[in-house]
Amino acid sequence: MIVKAYGAHAGDQPLESMDIARRAPGAHDVQIDIAFCGVCHSDIHQVRSEWAGTLYPCVPGHEIVGRVSAAGAHVSNFKPGDLVGIGCIINSCKHCQDCDAGLENYCDQMVGTYNGPTADAPGHTLGGYSQQIVVHERYVLRIRHPEEQLAAVAPLLCAGITTYSPLRHWKVGPGQKVGVVGIGGLGHMGIKLAHAMGAHVVAFTTSESKREAARALGAAEVVVSRNPGEMAAHARSLDFILNTVAAPHDLDPFFNLLKRDGSMALVGAPSSPHPSPQVFSLIMKRRSLAGSMIGGIPETQEMLDFCAEHGIVADIEMIRAEEINEAYERMLKGDVKYRFVIDNASLAV
Ligand code: NAP
Ligand code: ZN
């Protein structure tokens, strides 16, 4: 089937309307009419080939929500009409240690929702800035939020799981002081989730304008990280830091805020390296630097259910597809609270 999409033909070109093909659903496939798609900073990195290796045409989008419109003969868990989501993963080998553990995100053959290998035309996957997508049922998530929240659920499919997974892995909970660095799409979800898990959350932002807003998200304290005096007040006091910043920056001021044995996990994925760490920032207090990539399918379902139970959704600004280029420019200036979401109905016109 031919459907409408929004994408780019080259890294230095704006996104524009285009037609793409979707396969007919196979026996294990679920066909989804996409209602909304969140706009992740990874979409910008990819469509502009900031990570290199982008295949064109590039149709980004991996925060997908919608309704099942058809299901293959062997699909047992989903039926037409169900509210579902697709995140960053649409395939993997299905039999390695990582897949067996439900950690498809770490499978060597993980296929991303866009820019991944596929037998479908044009030979690489095309994402959620489109009217429809067809995905193997293993990678389809069930949405249990009320339907009126559907647009604000979309960002959970990447921003939600990318922050939930490390918060769980590093066992964030009551009695802990947790830092979230960078209050964008990921960071604002990190604050909400760490707060819901019972931690004392400290938000670190470069934007004075987010000081009050970050409190409303659940941060007990907010630090403008450009201010050394404010940073010093938290020296050696944090158990864990989740760093979501999308650009290279000096990590050492943040290590110095960790207690002995504290860890900082990087989830931000800038296109060039950070200029640090200084070894002594780590060895003096046996601190750790780590990374984390999205989350597996079972944990993504767990996160969606946790959010439904706790009434957690993203704070969003809805846009039409043709506003996407302007939305990218605003994201690069930090001018969004906190996630743009495309109304995919706007693709039809
Ligand atoms: P975003 O909405 O644009 O937020 C990034 C935030 O970083 C900004 O709002 C800003 O927060 C802070 N920042 C500080 N200096 C910056 C600078 N020079 N340029 C850009 N941001 C700066 O981005 P996002 O969608 O949350 O994504 C954040 C990063 O995570 C991206 O690199 C993305 O590719 C990556 N990512 C990784 C994974 C993974 O699996 N590890 C998954 C999804 C996304 P303040 O104003 O508060 O300082
Ligand atoms: Zn993403």
Side-chain angles (χ1 to χ4, degrees):
M1 184 184 305
I2 302 296
V3 303
K4 294 279 180 207
Y6 236 79
H9 291 286
D12 57 358
Q13 299 286 310
L15 278 71
E16 59 182 72
S17 178
M18 55 177 68
D19 290 338
I20 62 167
R22 292 299 190 192
R23 68 175 181 261
H28 290 281
D29 284 340
V30 175
Q31 176 184 285
I32 299 156
D33 289 348
I34 303 175
F36 304 102
C37 184
V39 180
C40 179
H41 206 112
S42 299
D43 301 353
I44 305 179
H45 293 312
Q46 189 78 69
V47 81
R48 297 187 174 179
S49 207
E50 292 174 358
W51 292 330
T54 298
L55 304 165
Y56 295 95
C58 175
V59 175
H62 57 203
E63 295 184 336
I64 297 169
V65 291
R67 223 175 249 292
V68 175
S69 49
H74 294 157
V75 173
S76 48
N77 288 328
F78 300 99
K79 60 178 188 323
D82 286 353
L83 284 182
V84 295
I86 299 293
C88 306
I89 308 171
I90 55 97
N91 212 347
S92 62
C93 83
K94 306 185 185 76
H95 51 69
C96 67
Q97 282 186 356
D98 295 320
C99 287
D100 286 347
L103 294 170
E104 299 89 345
N105 48 322
Y106 297 117
C107 170
D108 290 341
Q109 293 174 51
M110 190 267 271
V111 177
T113 303
Y114 52 79
N115 210 58
T118 176
D120 298 346
H124 59 272
T125 54
L126 302 171
Y129 299 1
S130 57
Q131 290 178 304
Q132 201 181 72
I133 193 163
V134 178
V135 179
H136 187 287
E137 62 175 328
R138 177 180 176 137
Y139 308 94
V140 180
L141 288 310
R142 185 167 297 285
I143 291 171
R144 298 191 166 89
H145 288 74
E147 186 173 359
E148 25 330 335
Q149 293 184 326
L150 193 58
V153 169
L156 303 182
L157 274 304
C158 175
I161 184 59
T162 302
T163 50
Y164 183 92
S165 184
L167 292 172
R168 283 293 191 222
H169 183 77
W170 275 275
K171 299 184 169 46
V172 162
Q176 287 187 329
K177 189 172 163 187
V178 170
V180 177
V181 185
I183 314 307
L186 266 59
H188 99 289
M189 287 311 309
I191 294 174
K192 288 186 186 213
L193 291 167
H195 174 67
M197 290 173 189
H200 178 97
V201 182
V202 185
F204 293 90
T205 180
T206 58
S207 310
E208 180 67 45
S209 63
K210 294 181 185 171
R211 196 187 279 277
E212 285 313 310
R215 279 185 202 282
L217 297 169
E221 301 176 73
V222 183
V223 172
V224 174
S225 53
R226 298 185 200 278
N227 182 341
E230 283 187 57
M231 292 287 278
H234 293 274
R236 297 177 297 286
S237 71
L238 293 161
D239 296 280
F240 178 67
I241 297 177
L242 182 64
N243 187 326
T244 76
V245 176
H249 61 285
D250 191 357
L251 302 179
D252 292 310
F254 294 104
F255 287 125
N256 293 331
L257 307 186
L258 289 170
K259 286 176 175 169
R260 171 176 49 80
D261 291 327
S263 300
M264 176 155 72
L266 304 181
V267 291
S271 52
S272 49
H274 296 297
S276 49
Q278 296 291 321
V279 172
F280 281 95
S281 305
L282 294 172
I283 64 176
M284 292 300 282
K285 293 278 178 192
R286 199 165 55 188
R287 294 164 173 139
S288 300
L289 172 61
S292 183
M293 192 173 77
I294 41 176
I297 297 298
E299 195 174 40
T300 305
Q301 188 64 63
E302 177 189 306
M303 175 277 307
L304 283 168
D305 295 347
F306 176 89
C307 289
E309 193 181 315
H310 289 81
I312 297 173
V313 291
D315 289 17
I316 65 164
E317 180 176 337
M318 189 93 80
I319 59 166
R320 296 173 57 78
E322 62 267 28
E323 295 171 310
I324 188 67
N325 296 301
E326 188 191 331
Y328 281 3
E329 294 309 317
R330 284 184 51 195
M331 280 170 75
L332 291 168
K333 288 187 279 183
D335 176 24
V336 52
K337 288 196 174 99
Y338 287 89
R339 199 54 136 189
F340 290 114
V341 171
I342 298 171
D343 178 357
N344 287 44
S346 65
L347 287 161
V349 280

mmCIF file of all heavy atoms in Angstrom, residues 40 42 62 158, ligand 2:
data_model
loop_
_atom_site.group_PDB
_atom_site.id
_atom_site.type_symbol
_atom_site.label_atom_id
_atom_site.label_comp_id
_atom_site.label_asym_id
_atom_site.label_seq_id
_atom_site.Cartn_x
_atom_site.Cartn_y
_atom_site.Cartn_z
ATOM 1 N N CYS A 40 11.650 13.063 18.412
ATOM 2 C CA CYS A 40 12.822 12.835 19.270
ATOM 3 C C CYS A 40 14.036 13.557 18.681
ATOM 4 O O CYS A 40 14.149 13.705 17.462
ATOM 5 C CB CYS A 40 13.078 11.325 19.325
ATOM 6 S SG CYS A 40 14.507 10.851 20.312
ATOM 7 N N SER A 42 16.821 12.349 18.382
ATOM 8 C CA SER A 42 17.487 11.361 17.510
ATOM 9 C C SER A 42 16.992 11.502 16.069
ATOM 10 O O SER A 42 17.744 11.230 15.128
ATOM 11 C CB SER A 42 17.211 9.941 17.998
ATOM 12 O OG SER A 42 17.703 9.755 19.295
ATOM 13 N N HIS A 62 10.013 7.483 15.905
ATOM 14 C CA HIS A 62 9.955 6.199 16.615
ATOM 15 C C HIS A 62 9.234 6.347 17.958
ATOM 16 O O HIS A 62 9.565 5.665 18.922
ATOM 17 C CB HIS A 62 11.350 5.566 16.747
ATOM 18 C CG HIS A 62 12.385 6.408 17.425
ATOM 19 N ND1 HIS A 62 13.741 6.226 17.217
ATOM 20 C CD2 HIS A 62 12.302 7.425 18.315
ATOM 21 C CE1 HIS A 62 14.419 7.083 17.947
ATOM 22 N NE2 HIS A 62 13.564 7.820 18.638
ATOM 23 N N CYS A 158 9.822 6.348 23.247
ATOM 24 C CA CYS A 158 11.293 6.484 23.251
ATOM 25 C C CYS A 158 11.742 7.247 24.495
ATOM 26 O O CYS A 158 12.472 6.719 25.319
ATOM 27 C CB CYS A 158 11.833 7.141 21.980
ATOM 28 S SG CYS A 158 13.625 7.425 22.098
HETATM 29 ZN ZN ZN B 2 14.124 8.670 20.344
#
